[in-house]
Amino acid sequence: MKKVLKPQPMLFPMPAVLVGTYCDDGNPDAMTAAWAAACCHKPFCLGVAIRQNRLTYANLKAKGAFTINVPSTSQAEAVDYLGIVSGRDRPDKIAVAGMEVDKGEVVDAPIISSCPVNVECELIGELEIGSHTWFVGEVKHIRADEELVEHDGTLNISDLDPLVYATSVAQYWSLGKPVGKAFNMGKKIG
Amino acid sequence: MKKVLKPQPMLFPMPAVLVGTYCDDGNPDAMTAAWAAACCHKPFCLGVAIRQNRLTYANLKAKGAFTINVPSTSQAEAVDYLGIVSGRDRPDKIAVAGMEVDKGEVVDAPIISSCPVNVECELIGELEIGSHTWFVGEVKHIRADEELVEHDGTLNISDLDPLVYATSVAQYWSLGKPVGKAFNMGKKIG
């Protein structure tokens, strides 16, 4: 039996990431976002939904670039802080959170280098929806903590230990265990 | 030390969900997608990236509605199958996967009722990016397995046991454990 829930933007799981942008004055900002996804293969793109009253929105419009930084569960407190506090009120919020910052290698956006994975994106599209705009960035550069990178160039997901966001309960979660190989385990059927 | 990886649409974690649409002839189709996200608060929206050569793309263009169905890890094999096989080749793919289908309560799209959470969306926006189009749907109706719904209307995430997709390694994963409360644990800082 099913129960009807009130409409909400419900999806499980979502990533909890940091969106890095530069302010007008060159100060780096980072905002926590869970409404992000890969969204194109040619070219390789990530997208993120940003509310129009956010500092990140203004920065993105002005600079045309952003970074997506994937944190570990050990960084959950800092990640949550960066989602609660605006760079408009605390321009030093990244330092207060204990996070380190670097210049992007390729795009005009800061990397939150304390995060194990940093993806640099150049803005190539946007869609105004309502309260939020979906920003699409072409992936221009990725770097990851050396000890996470396997010989074949993939990442060790267990060691990455990415932070997961669960809507409905507004909780951060960890990843569990591998369930199976994609484009493979379904071949047993049909 | 960081290592540079080749550009790819890298983000952790992603949801592994089923996108439900009706074909021209009224046959229900379901496609596996990991490139999906919540993307607007007013109105409540989910978005999903669909490759333009997919049956789901044609269905979405014609019907203007889709469902996002959240599976459990126990359904991983069926989910993977539904991502490997096209409804163009196997119009009965949902039944072959052992999944049950219902009509949407509100929108012109089928619900994969075997999945514990079913979200009905009406198409309200789209952005052509490259190989993929980002489709935005307003959430019109949600239903969830009764035994997952807590007294306060939230979901029991442990029991839901949603399927997680990890890029780079192309693996399905399970969720682990709660790490902390969002908009709360960061208050200790600053």
Side-chain angles (χ1 to χ4, degrees), chain A residues 1-17 34-47 49-51 54 68 70 73 76-81 83-84 90 96-98 111-119 124-127 129-134 136 139-147 149-150 153-158 160 162-190, chain B residues 1-17 34-47 49-51 54 68 70 73 76-81 83-84 90 96-98 111-119 124-127 129-134 136 139-147 149-150 152-158 160 162-190:
Chain A
M1 283 293 293
K2 298 266 182 171
K3 198 167 181 176
V4 175
L5 303 180
K6 62 176 200 287
Q8 54 194 293
M10 182 176 268
L11 186 63
F12 302 96
M14 300 212 224
V17 297
W35 294 5
C39 61
C40 193
H41 191 261
K42 278 186 187 173
F44 298 131
C45 292
L46 300 185
I50 307 287
R51 196 182 274 265
R54 291 283 204 157
I68 296 286
V70 180
T73 60
E77 250 181 52
V79 168
D80 195 49
Y81 170 79
I84 292 172
R90 290 298 308 247
V96 171
I111 285 166
I112 314 305
S113 44
S114 302
C115 290
V117 179
N118 316 110
V119 184
I124 63 159
E126 52 189 277
L127 179 65
I129 302 169
S131 58
H132 288 65
T133 296
W134 184 253
V136 176
V139 175
K140 290 294 191 179
H141 194 266
I142 304 180
R143 56 185 218 180
D145 282 356
E146 205 168 46
E147 62 268 27
V149 183
E150 308 279 17
T154 62
L155 292 188
N156 184 316
I157 307 296
S158 300
L160 171 60
L163 193 59
V164 184
Y165 186 67
T167 50
S168 173
V169 290
Q171 274 175 350
Y172 301 108
W173 282 62
S174 64
L175 270 193
K177 293 182 175 175
V179 170
K181 192 108 193 75
F183 309 107
N184 184 288
M185 66 189 298
K187 288 180 185 166
K188 293 176 201 164
I189 298 177
Chain B
M1 283 294 293
K2 298 267 182 170
K3 198 166 180 177
V4 175
L5 303 182
K6 64 175 198 286
Q8 54 193 295
M10 182 176 269
L11 186 62
F12 302 96
M14 298 211 226
V17 296
W35 294 6
C39 61
C40 193
H41 192 262
K42 278 185 188 175
F44 298 131
C45 292
L46 299 185
I50 306 288
R51 196 181 275 264
R54 290 284 204 157
I68 297 286
V70 179
T73 59
E77 249 181 52
V79 168
D80 195 50
Y81 171 78
I84 293 172
R90 289 298 307 247
V96 172
I111 286 167
I112 313 307
S113 45
S114 303
C115 290
V117 180
N118 316 111
V119 184
I124 64 160
E126 51 189 278
L127 179 65
I129 302 169
S131 58
H132 288 65
T133 296
W134 184 252
V136 176
V139 176
K140 290 294 189 179
H141 195 267
I142 304 180
R143 57 185 216 180
D145 282 356
E146 206 168 46
E147 64 268 26
V149 183
E150 308 279 17
D152 62 358
T154 62
L155 292 187
N156 185 317
I157 307 297
S158 299
L160 171 59
L163 192 60
V164 184
Y165 187 67
T167 50
S168 173
V169 291
Q171 273 176 352
Y172 301 107
W173 282 63
S174 63
L175 270 193
K177 293 182 175 174
V179 169
K181 191 110 192 74
F183 309 108
N184 185 289
M185 65 188 299
K187 289 180 184 167
K188 294 176 199 163
I189 300 177

Side-chain angles (χ1 to χ4, degrees), chain B residues 22-55:
Chain B
Y22 278 123
C23 302
D24 264 358
D25 62 1
N27 193 47
D29 187 69
M31 184 198 111
T32 307
W35 294 6
C39 61
C40 193
H41 192 262
K42 278 185 188 175
F44 298 131
C45 292
L46 299 185
V48 61
I50 306 288
R51 196 181 275 264
Q52 283 132 21
N53 61 358
R54 290 284 204 157
L55 177 56

Side-chain angles (χ1 to χ4, degrees), chain B residues 47-118:
Chain B
V48 61
I50 306 288
R51 196 181 275 264
Q52 283 132 21
N53 61 358
R54 290 284 204 157
L55 177 56
T56 296
Y57 179 88
N59 291 349
L60 247 166
K61 285 281 193 181
K63 302 287 183 182
F66 63 98
T67 62
I68 297 286
N69 305 274
V70 179
S72 291
T73 59
S74 63
Q75 299 172 312
E77 249 181 52
V79 168
D80 195 50
Y81 171 78
L82 291 169
I84 293 172
V85 174
S86 171
R88 288 194 179 105
D89 303 318
R90 289 298 307 247
D92 59 345
K93 66 188 270 197
I94 300 175
V96 172
M99 294 285 208
E100 294 199 351
V101 159
D102 248 348
K103 277 186 180 182
E105 295 280 340
V106 174
V107 307
D108 189 16
I111 286 167
I112 313 307
S113 45
S114 303
C115 290
V117 180
N118 316 111

